[in-house]
Structures are given as C-alpha cells and as structure tokens.
Amino acid sequence: MSYRDVVSRRVLTWALVAVGARMPVAMAPLALVFLVRERPGGYSLGAALAAAYVIGEIVGAPVLGMRLDPARARPHLAAGLVAGAAGFAGLGALSGAPGPVLAAFAFLAGAGPAAAPGGLRTLLTSLVPGHAATQALSLESMLTFGVWAVSPAAVTGLALGVDARLPLLLQAVLMASSVVGLWFLPAGWAADGRDGQEERGASRLRVLARAWPVYVTGAASLSLLALAELVLPALLEQRGIGVGWAGPLLTAMSVASAAGAFVYGLRSWPGRLSTRSLVLMAGMSVAVTLVALIPAAPGMAAALALAGLLQSGAMLTRNLSLREVLPPHALAAGYSVMYAAVGAGYAATGSLAGALLPHAAPSTAILAGVALTLLLTSVGWWGETRAGRSARDAGAVLPLGAAGGPEGAPVRGGRDPERRL
C-alpha cells in the first residue's frame, strides 16, 4: 500500500476541482457572520443565515445525491455547483437585502452543491486502482482538513482587512471555477449494472437505509468538531485565556487531522472497520473531555491535536465502511446521505451546547456533548454488530464494516466488498 498508486495527472486535476468546490463550504459559516455583523442584530442574523445554509446542505445532500447518474454525473454535479455559486454571488452582491432574501440565497448556496462531496469522492476512487482506495480517501481527507485550516484565516483577513462582501464573492468564483474543471475529468464512474438483478424490487432508498449504522456513527464523528468550534471561545473565556487563541487552536486541530489521515493511509490496520471506528471515537471523546477539564492553553492545544489526529481516522473508517456496505451504483448517494447525517450531527450537538451555555459552564456543555457523541457511537456500533450477526446467521455476506481483505480490495476467495448488498 503506497501513496504512489494515487499520484497521477487526473488525481491532481481532481484535487484542484475539489479545492474549488470545498473551500467555499469551509468559508461559509464564518463569512456569513462577518457579512451582516455591522447590521442591527447582526450576530443573530449571521447565526440564522448559517443555520439556513446548513439546512440547505442537510436537505440537498440526500435529495440530489440519490438522483446522481453514475455514468453521467458531470451535468448533475455542474448544475449543483452553478447553483451554489449563484447563491454565494447573491449573498455578496446583495448584502444589504432583507434577512429572508439573504436566507434564501444561503439556503441555495448550501443545497445546490450538497451532492458534490459524495460525487467527487466516488469519482476520485474511480480514478485509482481498487487496492488504493484507502490512500485515495486519505488524500481526500488531507486536502479537506488543509482547506478547513486555511479558510478561517482567509475569511477573517478578507472581511476585516478589505470588505465583508469579498469572501462571499470569492466563494462564488471558486465554486464556478470547479465547474470548469469538471470537464477535464471523466463524465462519471462505472456502475455495477445490477439494478434489475440483485436489487429486483428494491428501491435505492431501501439500499441506502441498510447502511444506517454507518450514518449514525458518521454523525457522531463530527458532533465533537461542533463542540470544539462552537464552545471553544466561551471555554477560553472561562479559563481566563484570550479568545484570540481559538483560531490557532482550531488550526492546530485541523493540521493534526491532516497528519492523522496521512498516517492512516500508510498501512493496513488490524480489526474490523466497526471496531476501529469505536476505538477511535472513544479516543476522540477522551481527548475532547480533556479539553473541557485542562485549565492551561498548552494542555488544551495538545488535547485538541489528539482529537484531530483521531478524528480523521474515524471519518476514514466510516467512508471505507460505506464502500463495503453499498453497491457501486449507490456509493455517491450513500456519501451524500452521510454528508447530510454529519451535518445533522453537527447541528444537533451545536444546538445542545447553545441551549446549555446560558445555564451552565462551557466545560459542562462540552461534557454533555461528549455524552451525546458516545450515545450515537454506541447506537451505530450496536447496529453494525447486529447486522453482522444477522448476516452470519443467514450465511450470506460479511458484516457491516468487516474487512475480509485489504481495504478497498476484493476479498480473496469471496465477494468484492463493494458488492455485499
């Protein structure tokens, strides 16, 4: 297993397209807050616009993802990215418009390109050999965390140093440029052609629903990130540490996540994917708990870095589990449903923390969020274990998240992991 297997001109082109599509997403929440903060009730309006944006993502990802045609994905992805670029352009050009108008643009900016992450991830794995799927997904994670590390500084510098509208206009330009890049990539990816055979009478929705434990654990994996991002400033104030340290601490967490993704792709790891995910999520929960309890900034930085290091591995195990659970023609839709589930987990944990902050200390809010994360993780692990036990009793397929061979490769002497449903 080597990263050399994923190095090619097409993968480099894909990376440029992915940066153009994902940088606007990473910039969006903070850019929306800066856009309207000078207006009366600006911070409340900014939070409402960010909520409209996230709701758009949660709604758009499964609805549009399930309509992706594997053989002709390009026009679907391009249309969604164009819609997202239009939403960002509307926000930047009409920043003085009434709140409902801005909320509509924010919803469009979130919903339009919501299927792009899943589609682009599936396209990436189709560009590399099957045995290199882990390395391809690790490369994607490194790129994603790198984008998230750069985005806050870019938004802050442009909004405060130049003009609050500029980040939104830049987001529109970046997303539009990713549309152009799609035409330098394949139009789609190969499907397995089993719609009328193995899935006779079963809708795609039923196929996707079978992977519900993976979605639940995926939601748990990002809920801890919500705690770190949303409660960290208040926690720093509670500790008597300057709030300005929030940015560097979160950047360190993103850098550690990128490093973790790189390390994960260097080798194959023992154990079932579901077991690895459980261990990584437990480790993340311990790290975030330490963030809530440690009083000094250096200790908090170390705990956040550890959380980031483990988080990338947890997210990769979820993506690899979907590759095992879903047939190839449903992968893009499955990734889109995961995207929506992750957004819902982020929103749920953020809402819980927001509801507790007026009545409890920030450290208490973080601990409550960790408890919710552990509950979701336990439910997801129970669902995967139960599905695996049922499959073994039926003498059918391997359990959810049980790798029978190298990650991303066919199981020797058995069925391809991608063809287990």
Side-chain angles (χ1 to χ4, degrees):
M1 301 176 72
S2 169
Y3 281 104
R4 288 192 297 269
D5 294 328
V6 301
V7 176
S8 69
R9 182 176 298 178
R10 291 199 301 177
V11 171
L12 176 59
T13 303
W14 177 92
L16 295 174
V17 172
V19 168
R22 295 182 182 183
M23 180 76 82
V25 175
M27 295 171 67
L30 189 57
L32 290 171
V33 172
F34 277 120
L35 181 69
V36 296
R37 72 187 187 96
E38 299 293 340
R39 294 171 56 162
Y43 283 111
S44 297
L45 177 57
L49 294 180
Y53 177 83
V54 172
I55 291 171
E57 289 186 303
I58 294 172
V59 172
V63 171
L64 299 177
M66 287 193 293
R67 285 164 172 74
L68 275 177
D69 180 357
R72 298 181 61 256
R74 182 191 290 154
H76 295 248
L77 296 176
L81 291 168
V82 167
F88 286 123
L91 286 164
L94 303 174
S95 59
V101 174
L102 294 179
F105 278 122
F107 181 90
L108 176 64
L120 288 174
R121 180 176 298 134
T122 309
L123 183 59
L124 171 63
T125 55
S126 75
L127 298 177
V128 303
H131 66 270
T134 299
Q135 286 69 39
L137 293 173
S138 296
L139 179 67
E140 182 208 26
S141 293
M142 286 186 278
L143 183 145
T144 298
F145 286 118
V147 164
W148 280 90
V150 170
S151 295
V155 171
T156 303
L158 292 173
L160 298 181
V162 186
D163 190 294
R165 296 169 296 179
L166 190 55
L168 278 303
L169 296 175
L170 175 61
Q171 288 164 257
V173 171
L174 286 171
M175 193 159 278
S177 71
S178 69
V179 176
V180 177
L182 285 176
W183 264 259
F184 293 91
L185 294 171
W189 51 87
D192 56 358
R194 297 181 303 131
D195 290 345
Q197 301 170 16
E198 206 167 309
E199 284 184 33
R200 189 176 303 150
S203 69
R204 179 175 292 189
L205 184 60
R206 285 182 57 194
V207 173
L208 295 173
R210 296 175 195 174
W212 70 264
V214 184
Y215 306 139
V216 171
T217 314
S221 69
L222 203 71
S223 63
L224 287 175
L225 178 61
L227 287 175
E229 287 187 340
L230 302 177
V231 185
L232 184 59
L235 181 65
L236 291 173
E237 284 191 347
Q238 180 189 2
R239 298 283 185 259
I241 302 170
V243 178
W245 280 102
L249 288 174
L250 292 176
T251 298
M253 182 179 180
S254 295
V255 171
S257 295
F262 176 77
V263 171
Y264 193 98
L266 287 177
R267 50 160 294 177
S268 16
W269 300 87
R272 296 175 178 171
L273 287 170
S274 58
T275 304
R276 282 183 238 165
S277 177
L278 180 66
V279 171
L280 289 166
M281 289 297 300
M284 282 176 63
S285 299
V286 170
V288 175
T289 299
L290 290 175
V291 173
L293 299 177
I294 293 174
M300 295 172 68
L304 280 171
L306 176 60
L309 192 72
L310 298 174
Q311 182 197 27
S312 55
M315 293 175 66
L316 280 165
T317 59
R318 299 300 80 203
N319 289 331
L320 289 166
S321 292
L322 276 185
R323 282 179 55 81
E324 291 195 340
V325 172
L326 297 178
H329 68 84
L331 262 181
Y335 288 138
S336 295
V337 173
M338 172 76 87
Y339 188 77
V342 163
Y346 186 103
T349 308
S351 299
L352 174 64
L356 288 175
L357 279 177
H359 311 288
S363 54
T364 303
I366 288 180
L367 294 176
V370 170
L372 175 61
T373 297
L374 290 174
L375 175 61
L376 291 174
T377 301
S378 300
V379 171
W381 180 80
W382 171 81
E384 292 190 63
T385 303
R386 181 171 176 271
R389 189 180 301 116
S390 299
R392 286 195 299 272
D393 292 344
V397 295
L398 291 178
L400 290 178
E407 292 162 350
V411 179
R412 188 171 299 172
R415 300 175 65 191
D416 185 335
E418 292 181 4
R419 296 176 177 266
R420 290 183 184 162
L421 289 180

